[in-house]
Amino acid sequence: MIFDDNYSMTIDGKAVVSDAGIAVVNPATEEVIGHAPDASRAQLDAAVTAAKNAFPAWSARPIGERQAMIAAIADHMLRHKSAMARLFTAEQGRPLGGAEWEIDVCAQWCQAVAGFTLPVELVEDNDTRRVEIHHRPIGVVGAITPWNAPLLMAIWKMAPALLAGNTVVLKPSPYTPLSTLKLGELLRDVLPAGVLNIVSGGNDLGQWITAHPDIGKVSFTGSTATGKRVMESAAQTLKRVTLELGGNDAAIVLPDVDPKTIAPQLFWGAFFNSAQVCVAIKRLYIHADIYDAVAHELVEHAKTVALGDGAQQGVDLGPVQNGMQYEKVKQLLDDARAAGQKFLIGGEVPEGPGYFIPISIVDNPPENSRVVTEEAFGPVLPLLKYDDIDDVLRRANDSETGLGGSIWSNDLDQARAIGARLETGTVWINEMFAFLPNAPFGGHKQSGVGVEHGMAGLLEFTNSQTITSRKLASAV
């Protein structure tokens, strides 16, 4: 299989191209590395029709057969890991080690989901009645994925959707469609025709998916602003929706930690994938007693991190993925400099090709500054000083979003008590990015609707069905 050419959509198990194409740019060089098909409305309709036609047979298969096919997805991805990782790095920008990590996690996720089954709950069984709650697949699921983790977000949606008995029409981001299109090509011999359809395109395609009358559910990961438009469009046909949206995640560092020990963990919790992670540390609150020491250690660690083209050896962080996001982060830095805020490191964007933003750490800016209130989604981190737990919790919770947060302390009881007061869907204590296939993940407030992962996430791809059976009296 060739991974660096011949990009096609997968519709009804077949390769499909289009008259129009989308240029895909390597963010490290700004060079076009390929073209993805730009699906027409008729091609989307064909994909939805294929999924709709495949649904009866797929949903009727014994779940053991569906489990085996989900596990086979993992095997195929691992078999082609090196080539897929190189393509991932070329279009997304993350260094090769991080690309291979994502493929490994995709495989682990498929293997874990393949072990799930749909529960049947018995709520009553007596001499006169038996009542059971079953969970039935919805039908055709529309999945829309972002550019920061394109393969993992695809697996997070398609694996549970398929296991539950749904068929899928998946749309990757137009910024990073190539590795997802190749995944579709890879799975044409694994899944029956029509069960998984992958179509590429821009904003119009996303809007057609959310409005399509034959799609019963939309699972979307992206910005809060776009999520609101998805929800509005889906409401016209009362589609089920799962929305995993933006966050401005706070980390709270208590004064009992060792700054030198904690700094690398805090650094990578903020800057992994060049800070293009929805649950990365976006606001770092540090107790005044250790603020200077932690800030110093973070800067010293940052000096050891190499920024560059992710395809090159020795690179730790790659570029921001696309020009639009690059300009947004540059504007945030410009605003901070114009406001006279102090950078402990970074702050100046170099000239030259590539969407490179240097690691930038801002020293205790005002709480109402843009660098604090806005989600940068790029390598810019404000450090914020606090003295009082109640005050820092108020500040951490003063956000329209509530996706994740973290507490860092040697006193686990105190950390758990503080974490319980964070208004977020996930709280990590002394770690970051600990996603588990069997634990739900979702946001509070404007960070989303519904959850992914675990049994709760699996059941979001189903409709509940209650079956009550009255037992007939025996003839005398």
Side-chain angles (χ1 to χ4, degrees):
M1 180 175 171
I2 299 173
F3 277 83
D4 57 359
D5 201 0
N6 301 321
Y7 302 107
S8 60
M9 300 182 289
T10 298
I11 298 176
D12 203 17
K14 303 178 184 67
V16 176
V17 296
S18 66
D19 295 332
I22 299 170
V24 180
V25 171
N26 182 330
T29 64
E30 299 185 57
E31 296 174 349
V32 174
I33 58 170
H35 289 81
D38 190 359
S40 67
R41 181 65 181 264
Q43 287 173 323
L44 173 64
D45 288 343
V48 175
T49 297
K52 186 177 179 181
N53 291 342
F55 173 71
W58 178 250
S59 60
R61 277 181 180 264
I63 193 168
E65 294 183 15
R66 299 201 299 267
Q67 290 170 323
M69 292 186 197
I70 299 301
I73 295 173
D75 296 337
H76 279 64
M77 292 188 75
L78 291 176
R79 198 171 301 140
H80 297 275
K81 180 170 76 170
S82 294
M84 188 172 280
R86 287 193 296 273
L87 176 60
F88 182 106
T89 293
E91 68 170 345
Q92 203 280 335
R94 192 189 309 163
L96 277 170
E100 291 181 343
W101 168 88
E102 179 153 329
I103 295 165
D104 285 336
V105 175
C106 286
Q108 294 163 10
W109 216 270
C110 287
Q111 290 159 350
V113 171
F116 289 3
T117 191
L118 292 170
V120 177
E121 183 182 356
L122 180 63
V123 296
E124 185 177 326
D125 190 16
N126 53 38
D127 291 341
T128 59
R129 178 187 288 120
R130 180 181 175 90
V131 181
E132 299 171 344
I133 300 174
H134 294 254
H135 299 275
R136 310 300 188 195
I138 293 169
V140 180
V141 170
I144 303 175
T145 57
W147 45 260
N148 60 320
L151 289 175
L152 187 57
M153 297 299 102
I155 292 297
W156 277 9
K157 297 178 188 308
M158 59 187 260
L162 295 174
L163 183 77
N166 302 283
T167 53
V168 173
V169 176
L170 190 152
K171 175 201 173 294
S173 166
Y175 292 117
T176 54
L178 303 182
S179 53
T180 307
L181 291 172
K182 284 297 177 182
L183 176 63
E185 181 180 340
L186 197 65
L187 299 181
R188 288 173 197 161
D189 295 330
V190 176
L191 300 167
V195 168
L196 173 64
N197 305 272
I198 297 180
V199 291
S200 50
N203 290 338
D204 286 347
L205 179 60
Q207 292 167 6
W208 297 337
I209 288 173
T210 60
H212 202 290
D214 289 331
I215 291 178
K217 176 184 173 70
V218 170
S219 179
F220 170 82
T221 299
S223 71
T224 296
T226 306
K228 290 176 180 179
R229 293 195 293 271
V230 169
M231 194 170 190
E232 181 180 11
S233 178
Q236 303 309 308
T237 51
L238 291 181
K239 286 179 177 60
R240 282 77 176 129
V241 294
T242 299
L243 306 175
E244 195 269 281
L245 308 178
N248 194 10
D249 297 24
I252 299 174
V253 181
L254 273 63
D256 63 350
V257 302
D258 175 50
K260 197 174 191 67
T261 300
I262 209 75
Q265 299 172 66
L266 294 172
F267 180 89
W268 290 109
F271 291 106
F272 172 74
N273 198 30
S274 296
Q276 298 166 118
V277 181
C278 57
V279 289
I281 297 171
K282 312 286 175 46
R283 297 174 289 154
L284 182 51
Y285 291 94
I286 306 167
H287 194 278
D289 289 352
I290 58 168
Y291 179 90
D292 291 339
V294 172
H296 171 78
E297 295 297 339
L298 283 170
V299 170
E300 290 304 303
H301 188 82
K303 292 175 182 177
T304 71
V305 174
L307 176 68
D309 186 338
Q312 303 299 317
Q313 293 244 349
V315 171
D316 300 304
L317 287 179
V320 171
Q321 196 284 318
N322 58 78
M324 177 188 70
Q325 190 62 32
Y326 173 72
E327 292 299 328
K328 287 182 178 179
V329 179
K330 283 178 62 179
Q331 290 170 15
L332 205 61
L333 293 176
D334 290 344
D335 179 81
R337 286 197 306 274
Q341 292 159 18
K342 177 184 176 183
F343 285 89
L344 299 176
I345 191 171
E348 296 286 346
V349 178
E351 297 292 332
Y355 304 131
F356 291 105
I357 300 284
I359 297 163
S360 300
I361 298 176
V362 189
D363 183 20
N364 201 31
E367 197 76 21
N368 63 354
S369 59
R370 285 183 59 192
V371 76
V372 177
T373 61
E374 297 183 19
E375 180 185 22
F377 221 68
V380 181
L381 178 67
L383 308 186
L384 300 151
K385 193 179 297 187
Y386 79 92
D387 293 291
D388 176 75
I389 289 296
D390 290 333
D391 174 63
V392 75
L393 278 167
R394 177 191 59 77
R395 293 159 67 187
N397 288 331
D398 186 19
S399 172
E400 293 180 344
T401 59
L403 193 57
S406 59
I407 310 296
W408 301 80
S409 173
N410 284 312
D411 185 337
L412 291 183
D413 289 338
Q414 184 185 22
R416 291 190 191 102
I418 295 169
R421 297 171 64 188
L422 282 178
E423 297 169 356
T424 61
T426 296
V427 177
W428 287 300
I429 296 174
N430 297 335
E431 63 179 353
M432 288 291 297
F433 310 140
F435 298 106
L436 300 172
N438 56 354
F441 169 70
H444 294 185
K445 299 187 275 192
Q446 293 191 35
S447 282
V449 174
V451 299
E452 296 183 299
H453 315 331
M455 187 54 61
L458 176 62
L459 295 183
E460 293 233 351
F461 290 102
T462 68
N463 287 319
S464 64
Q465 183 182 61
T466 301
I467 299 179
T468 68
S469 309
R470 176 161 297 273
K471 300 175 183 179
L472 297 176
S474 299
V476 178

